[in-house]
Amino acid sequence: MTGRGEARTGENCLIEPGATVGATYDGWTDPARLGDGAHVRSGTIVYADVRAGANLATGHDALVREETTLGDDVLLGTQAAHDRPPSPCPHPRPPTA
């Protein structure tokens, strides 16, 4: 693993050389947590404050942004990005008829 943060991994995980798990950012609070059987391929970046269930698999150069949660058996393809959901709009439009 590389990166300036911390990560917790379950059993039987493979983090390939060149992957970053636990990348920190301003305001980070918790290490990245990967469930059992994760396979993170080279070039992938997983930020701190990420929770991933069992059997996460990434393609090369994938990106998992901070404050996201992934369930079990998630596959992120090569160069895919998973970002946290946007904050609700403070001024939602009124419903239309």
Side-chain angles (χ1 to χ4, degrees):
M1 266 183 289
T2 62
R4 297 178 297 147
E6 294 182 35
R8 306 283 190 270
T9 60
E11 296 183 14
N12 301 313
C13 292
L14 174 61
I15 312 299
E16 291 186 0
T20 300
V21 177
T24 59
Y25 60 96
D26 288 342
W28 75 281
T29 58
D30 292 316
R33 297 181 188 278
L34 306 180
D36 294 342
H39 186 168
V40 180
R41 288 188 170 81
S42 63
T44 294
I45 300 171
V46 178
Y47 278 82
D49 292 318
V50 167
R51 303 287 174 272
N55 303 312
L56 168 68
T58 74
H60 298 277
D61 302 312
L63 174 64
V64 182
R65 293 300 308 248
E66 67 277 3
E67 299 177 8
T68 59
T69 300
L70 303 170
D72 293 340
D73 303 312
V74 171
L75 169 63
L76 291 175
T78 297
Q79 297 182 341
H82 182 39
D83 207 341
R84 64 180 179 240
S87 300
C89 179
H91 305 289
R93 293 182 180 182
T96 58

